[in-house]
Amino acid sequence: MSLVATAAPGELRVPRSGPWNQRLLAGPKLGGPEPLADHASRLGGGITGWTERAGAHQLLERVRRSGLGGRGGGGFPTADKLAAVRRHGPGSVVVVNGSETEPAAGKDDLLLRIRPHLVLDGLLVATRILGARRAFLVAHSAQAVAAVEAALRERPDVSIPVEVVRGPANFVGGEESALIRWLEGGQALPRYQPPRVVDRGWRGLPTLVQNVETLAHLGLVVRLGPEWFRGAGVADEPGTMLVTLSGAVEAPGVYEVPIGTPLPEVLYVARAEPGAVALLVGGYFGSWLRASEVQGLALSRSSLRPAGATPGAGVLHLLPQGTCGLRESGRILAWLAAQGARQCGPCAFGLPAMASALNEVADTGSEAALGQLERWGDQIEGRGACRHPDGAVNLARSAASAFPDELRRHRSGACSGPRQSALPLPLGRDQG
Amino acid sequence: MSGRYLHADPTLCVGHRLCAEMLPELITLDDFGYPIISPDPVPRHLGRLARRTVGACPALALILDGNPSRRVRRHQPRPGASPG
Ligand SMILES: Cc1cc2nc3c(=O)[nH]c(=O)nc-3n(C[C@H](O)[C@H](O)[C@H](O)COP(=O)(O)O)c2cc1C
Ligand code: SF4
Ligand code: SF4
């Protein structure tokens, strides 16, 4: 195994099993889409057996009692979002968000490729709760689109029109209002909210945008019940979550991990290489945890909050020995700056300036550049139409505080990290 | 009239800076020339001026409404870590 175990995009989508109880990744045949017959016999029949027995209100109550939170990064309570759309009455729109534009993520694409019926079950439940009139399913890869289209042909129970499309390639295109614009035929650029998309989304209709993984859990919640769902995870964050692990691990890929699992356990299972420098938690909007900090922390919002981190959409990247966290952060920040939609001044001008400052910090350890980073971070945060700049600022702040030893070394002109990159920053399609 | 708040739609704002000149009590500029607006409700005695400023923005970017500011800070210093 080479020192820098950079996972190729394909490797990110490899399903991996750990010692934990599997829910979304349970069952045999993790190589391709599970046929409907296998799905139904494994889970006790079609989902309509459950959705038709219960009224829409009962279904929503079940979701509420499960405590399911969104798996697209924000962790917003799914029952609250469903209720916000349902308030407007029938005729709303559901968007299944599998755009997964983050380069180091692969869980939603994997789920659509191997367990499309779990996601369609969840879509059907959401549709039933809302009385929705149509739906869109946005997938990252062509393979996922094909798997979902084939699965839909097996599903006469999905009675509303579902349009399956390959998602936008730009990073901010996965943001909900950008995605809706894209589905309306426009450019995948976020818009200023309010009005919120739950009130005025696709063509002005109330719209539920829900992550692929969230919907997969939703289907199981309705089948197996809220108590079952709460049988994994921690009290205020129940369930399992999919984690895409890359970097200095011998087994990169997608793991299904109960929320609240100690981070060292996750890294052990993925066979982390010795001497790793730091762990990036929560992806490119995320935070660095020094190797010494990882001990004692668990994969949950409540455990990570005091360390200034969140699990986000489950992206973990372990920085290998011999790489420099400051330099890697500078590269990511420059990439994020270029990915901004250039609609908002603070994002369009502030992020490139912050990226230069961070790269200067990485080159020289400059105190002045560190000061600029702090000042600009405070100025920019919360001032874009979407949360893209906030995520980028979070990463920059985390880099500036997580690597004090590296900073000292750079100040004395002795960076020991070779300039190799460990994090996937795609060119080609994803740049586009 | 209870709690009115001033916002700028950042996708429309082109950084004319006019607003910061008209209403420096509530609007300052960042290092890039874009307005930073006070997250507090507009004080009663500035209500008229705030409405005039909204009307003067050439990009029609300014909004005065009852929604509290969306600018909530997530930032909390990391315990036990200081840069450098
Ligand atoms: C810049 C940006 C990019 C995003 N990209 C994605 C994405 O690729 N997939 C996703 O599910 N959510 C993404 N989100 C979050 C969505 O806006 C939305 O909150 C989410 O799809 C809601 O699903 P959930 O409640 O099930 O988590 C992104 C948000 C931002 C600010
Ligand atoms: S904040 Fe940045 S990414 Fe978001 S809409 Fe504005 S310019 Fe685009
Ligand atoms: S006057 Fe309007 S366009 Fe000019 S800086 Fe203020 S909000 Fe932006």
Side-chain angles (χ1 to χ4, degrees), chain B residues 20-79:
Chain B
E21 276 160 33
M22 285 181 74
L23 194 51
E25 296 89 340
L26 299 181
I27 306 177
T28 55
L29 294 175
D30 66 15
D31 292 353
F32 312 97
Y34 289 85
I36 300 179
I37 300 177
S38 159
D40 300 325
V42 175
R44 190 173 273 286
H45 71 280
L46 291 176
R48 258 175 70 98
L49 186 56
R51 278 192 299 278
R52 285 232 318 277
T53 310
V54 168
C57 168
L60 304 180
L62 288 175
I63 303 162
L64 188 65
D65 67 15
N67 298 318
S69 169
R70 302 174 321 135
R71 238 197 130 198
V72 279
R73 285 178 185 275
R74 282 194 304 167
H75 183 36
Q76 35 176 291
R78 185 191 189 89

Side-chain angles (χ1 to χ4, degrees), chain A residues 56-57 60 81-90 92 128-131:
Chain A
H57 180 73
L60 181 56
K81 204 192 273 188
L82 282 162
V85 178
R86 186 175 142 82
R87 207 161 43 92
H88 294 285
S92 53
R128 175 98 166 96
I129 289 174
L130 301 178

